Amino acid sequence: MKRYLLPVIVAGLILAFWLKPDIQEIAAGVAIFLFGMLMLEDGFKLFGGGALERILERATRSTPRALLFGMVSTTLLQSSSLVSVITISFLSAGLISLIGGIGVIFGANIGTTTGAWLVAGFGLKVNIASYAMPMIALSIVLVFQKSKALRGIGYALGGLGFLFLGIHHMKEGFDAFKDQIDLTRFALPGLAGLVVYTLLGASATVIMQSSHATMVLIITALAAGQITYENALALAIGANVGTTITAIIGSLSANFQGKRLALAHLVFNVSTAAVALVFIVPLGQIVDWVSLQVGIDANDFALKLAVFHTIFNVVGVILMLPVLTKLVAFLERRIVEPTEEVSQPHFLNEAVFEFPQTLESALRQEVQHLYENAVELIFHGLNLHRHEVFGASNVAQTVRNSRAPFDLDIEDGYERRVKTLFAAIVNYASRAGNKRYDPDVSEKINTLRDVAADIVQAVKSVKHLRKNVLRYTTRPQGKVTELYDGLRTELARILIEIHKLGEVEPDKRSALWLDQERAQIEEDARSTNRNIDRLIRTGDLNPVAATSFLNDSGYAYSAMRQLIEAARRYYIERDSALAEVEKLLSLEDEELQMKPDKATEAAPVGGES
């Protein structure tokens, strides 16, 4: 069906252009208007630098603030569709709550009514084409500048100019068209008119993907006398229903939370439309009264339509707010949270990819998901229970008591629970490189990818340890068991400290202890060779077991380094002042590196492992 839709639309337009040439100007006006909206959105993305996303994250902490944000942002952007898509993106990334997202959608519905006021109150009464031309001319100069902010302003200015130009051409087209054919002949009074024109309004919005464009078309047609006021009211109601299609399309690539928000949008708009249709007569009387109070002429149907559009959206919000918690409960029952599959990404999806702030946050949470999987695999690879180690008062004793072998295929666990997530992280981080994000955002994304790589390498190191952990620690075998227990204890202790670091408030985290841990690891690694030589000389360790342990200690210390480096990059966020202080206080690199005249760092040296 979809593949036939485009040819049918194109053929229909060509036929209409041939039969009635004046339709060309109306169609061109709609096209120019939609192009202007796209430019305005692109300009904001360039100029905003993530500002909208950052404000959205803070503005959804309460329902009133979310409502206000939805109204203000949609008024400024003149696009409830963009606000809806950003909100779905943030919700999918877990940055805002469902109830906060619904508040934004409610506010956006009120904010989108300002477009009707702009067109009816300004666009139809002033020759806005005279403003559009210089705006477009100036925008081109700015678009070709190197500065991202200037290019953003240029796109936004050009978008606004094309919006004005589109409105002008739609108005001119309807004025010319009415001399040839009177569309009011197709007016339908009563219930039939309400139903038919509501469906027409919804269909037009679905096709144009913009209720704002539909409302402009309705207002210009109404001002030209091509549709009746009663039918225009029904068209406006239908446009509100049709705009939900954008949120629904945006939610297709989102997670369950994004789908819940799209359903909330549909429920809200359909409910509001139903109330408006049922109470169309009293609403019309309220519009007449309000228009009289604010001085709108009784025959100025364009402005009265703007009043109606605002009133029925505000009424919808007033009716829905008291049942907001019940709406959330309904959404949660209707779209059930799926059982989490640890081997699949939880936060990375197409909905979070459009905006840098959401992608960065989704990547951060996915890296945390990867780390949780990796930690469990590392503990099990060492024949340890995570909950027992994290709750232990004596880690070494807990390790010595853990002799029972785990029924674990570590290779399969790595492939399913670590490699698949790492592949998704690398994929999204690499794709982000083609989006030309700001350097600081790109750097954070690359850092998160490096954190994931360190975690994966740590798991690979433990994979090498697994065979000899099973051989030497499932039953006491003297010194060799003690040595392997020591490695298990050190790895467990590093994981405990990282776990504690994750629970500390971000502003209280410090990299100093990480430097101390790294220094301790290097010292332990240097002393390993000396200790092994002594044990071989005393006969407490045979050469075969010694060779295996030297290799395995290299893998263990490598895993510890990688885990500490991952923790440093993931948790420690330092501004320039703090970085300078810690640079002065932290250990010098020379103190952390092995001195060649002493021992050689333990590393895989061949032989049995």
Side-chain angles (χ1 to χ4, degrees):
M1 181 67 184
K2 288 182 180 179
R3 62 179 178 177
Y4 298 117
L5 185 60
L6 180 61
V8 168
I9 292 174
V10 172
L13 283 173
I14 292 173
L15 180 62
F17 296 160
W18 181 65
L19 292 174
K20 295 291 179 183
D22 287 322
I23 292 179
Q24 295 178 25
E25 186 158 17
I26 299 172
V30 174
I32 293 169
F33 185 88
L34 291 173
F35 180 72
M37 288 188 69
L38 292 175
M39 282 195 70
L40 194 62
E41 291 178 8
D42 288 342
F44 181 82
K45 289 176 186 177
L46 280 172
F47 178 64
L52 180 62
E53 299 100 305
R54 290 193 294 272
I55 295 170
L56 174 58
E57 190 175 358
R58 298 186 185 98
T60 52
R61 292 172 185 167
S62 69
T63 302
R65 291 171 68 178
L67 274 169
L68 182 61
F69 172 82
M71 286 189 286
V72 173
S73 59
T74 307
T75 299
L76 293 175
L77 295 175
Q78 287 298 294
S79 174
S80 60
S81 300
L82 177 61
V83 175
S84 298
V85 170
I86 293 176
T87 306
I88 287 174
S89 174
F90 259 60
L91 188 60
S92 294
L95 292 171
I96 62 175
S97 66
L98 177 59
I99 198 166
I102 294 173
V104 173
I105 295 297
F106 285 4
N109 266 46
I110 297 175
T112 196
T113 65
T114 58
W117 285 99
L118 176 66
V119 177
F122 176 70
L124 299 179
K125 295 176 170 56
V126 178
N127 180 20
I128 56 176
S130 61
Y131 294 94
M133 297 304 182
M135 292 170 73
I136 293 171
L138 287 172
S139 72
I140 294 300
V141 176
L142 297 174
V143 162
F144 285 102
Q145 301 305 307
K146 290 184 179 181
S147 167
K148 198 171 184 179
L150 288 177
R151 284 190 289 122
I153 294 172
Y155 275 109
L157 188 63
L160 200 57
F162 281 115
L163 288 181
F164 286 177
L165 194 61
I167 293 169
H168 169 76
H169 282 291
M170 279 187 266
K171 178 177 177 293
E172 293 296 312
F174 275 116
D175 286 339
F177 193 68
K178 70 180 180 181
D179 296 331
Q180 301 179 33
I181 185 170
D182 184 9
L183 290 179
T184 55
R185 291 182 304 159
F186 301 102
L188 288 173
L191 181 61
L194 281 177
V195 173
V196 171
Y197 277 86
T198 297
L199 292 175
L200 283 174
S203 301
T205 305
V206 168
I207 292 170
M208 290 189 285
Q209 291 287 288
S210 170
S211 63
H212 195 54
T214 306
M215 283 302 301
V216 171
L217 195 60
I218 295 167
I219 291 171
T220 51
L222 179 61
Q226 287 292 295
I227 55 176
T228 66
Y229 175 59
E230 291 75 15
N231 289 162
L233 297 182
L235 286 168
I237 294 170
N240 249 42
V241 175
T243 195
T244 59
I245 194 67
T246 303
I248 291 171
I249 292 172
S251 72
L252 294 178
S253 60
N255 63 7
F256 69 97
Q257 288 283 57
K259 291 178 173 61
R260 284 174 176 173
L261 185 60
L263 180 57
H265 196 191
L266 179 64
V267 169
F268 170 68
N269 283 36
V270 170
S271 300
T272 302
V275 170
L277 288 172
V278 171
F279 296 99
I280 190 73
V281 174
L283 280 175
Q285 294 170 347
I286 293 172
V287 168
D288 291 338
W289 182 81
V290 170
S291 299
L292 181 64
Q293 299 304 310
V294 297
I296 296 174
D297 190 89
N299 294 319
D300 193 343
F301 294 116
L303 273 176
K304 287 175 71 174
L305 178 61
V307 174
F308 172 80
H309 193 218
T310 301
I311 287 175
F312 96 81
N313 274 289
V314 170
V315 167
V317 172
I318 292 172
L319 292 175
M320 293 298 291
L321 279 178
V323 296
L324 189 55
T325 54
K326 292 183 179 179
L327 174 61
V328 171
F330 164 75
L331 296 171
E332 291 173 346
R333 289 195 306 271
R334 185 64 182 168
I335 301 177
V336 180
E337 180 178 357
T339 303
E340 288 191 346
E341 171 55 54
V342 294
S343 63
Q344 296 300 319
H346 290 174
F347 304 97
L348 293 177
N349 52 65
E350 291 301 316
V352 305
F353 190 71
E354 185 65 22
F355 304 98
Q357 183 83 359
T358 54
L359 177 58
E360 179 198 335
S361 299
L363 275 172
R364 177 168 290 275
Q365 293 187 82
E366 206 63 69
V367 168
Q368 182 64 39
H369 176 204
L370 170 68
Y371 178 73
E372 292 299 322
N373 283 5
V375 167
E376 184 173 351
L377 201 57
I378 288 171
F379 272 122
H380 289 181
L382 300 174
N383 286 343
L384 298 172
H385 287 285
R386 173 165 49 177
H387 66 278
E388 290 181 356
V389 173
F390 283 167
S393 57
N394 188 328
V395 178
Q397 185 60 49
T398 301
V399 169
R400 285 193 294 272
N401 293 339
S402 301
R403 298 293 181 207
F406 274 71
D407 183 13
L408 171 68
D409 184 341
I410 195 168
E411 188 64 43
D412 178 67
Y414 168 77
E415 291 290 332
R416 289 190 304 104
R417 305 184 62 182
V418 173
K419 190 174 180 180
T420 52
L421 293 183
F422 182 52
I425 290 167
V426 170
N427 176 42
Y428 276 83
S430 299
R431 288 172 59 192
N434 298 325
K435 296 287 285 185
R436 297 181 181 178
Y437 290 152
D438 285 339
D440 58 332
V441 174
S442 297
E443 184 180 353
K444 290 176 182 177
I445 289 173
N446 290 334
T447 296
L448 289 170
R449 181 186 58 195
D450 293 340
V451 170
D454 284 332
I455 293 169
V456 170
Q457 289 302 319
V459 175
K460 285 184 175 181
S461 295
V462 174
K463 277 172 56 183
H464 290 293
L465 280 171
R466 174 67 179 165
K467 184 175 69 173
N468 285 332
V469 164
L470 287 173
R471 176 182 296 178
Y472 294 118
T473 68
T474 54
R475 59 185 179 86
Q477 299 176 48
K479 284 294 182 182
V480 67
T481 299
E482 293 178 15
L483 289 171
Y484 276 94
D485 281 349
L487 291 181
R488 293 200 295 161
T489 301
E490 285 303 299
L491 269 166
R493 192 176 58 79
I494 294 295
L495 292 171
I496 290 170
E497 294 302 323
I498 293 175
H499 177 70
K500 291 178 180 177
L501 184 65
E503 294 183 331
V504 172
E505 292 295 327
D507 58 343
K508 295 180 180 178
R509 291 172 183 152
S510 171
L512 297 179
W513 79 267
L514 291 171
D515 289 329
Q516 294 168 353
E517 289 296 333
R518 192 177 65 170
Q520 186 61 50
I521 289 169
E522 302 305 335
E523 176 59 32
D524 292 344
R526 287 194 292 269
S527 66
T528 296
N529 281 359
R530 296 193 297 270
N531 190 31
I532 296 301
D533 287 342
R534 181 180 59 78
L535 292 172
I536 292 175
R537 285 195 303 271
T538 60
D540 291 320
L541 194 65
N542 67 64
V544 173
T547 303
S548 293
F549 180 76
L550 283 173
N551 279 313
D552 289 336
S553 65
Y555 291 126
Y557 291 130
S558 177
M560 294 178 208
R561 294 186 194 97
Q562 288 148 354
L563 289 169
I564 285 177
E565 186 59 28
R568 176 191 295 277
R569 290 172 170 170
Y570 187 84
Y571 286 119
I572 307 301
E573 299 177 1
R574 299 180 293 181
D575 57 26
S576 57
L578 181 58
E580 187 63 29
V581 171
E582 291 196 349
K583 183 178 179 182
L584 293 172
L585 294 176
S586 62
L587 299 173
E588 296 293 334
D589 284 342
E590 299 91 277
E591 295 179 89
L592 301 176
Q593 293 182 4
M594 188 179 317
K595 296 179 180 175
D597 59 337
K598 290 191 178 181
T600 304
E601 179 178 326
V605 294
E608 185 180 3
S609 173

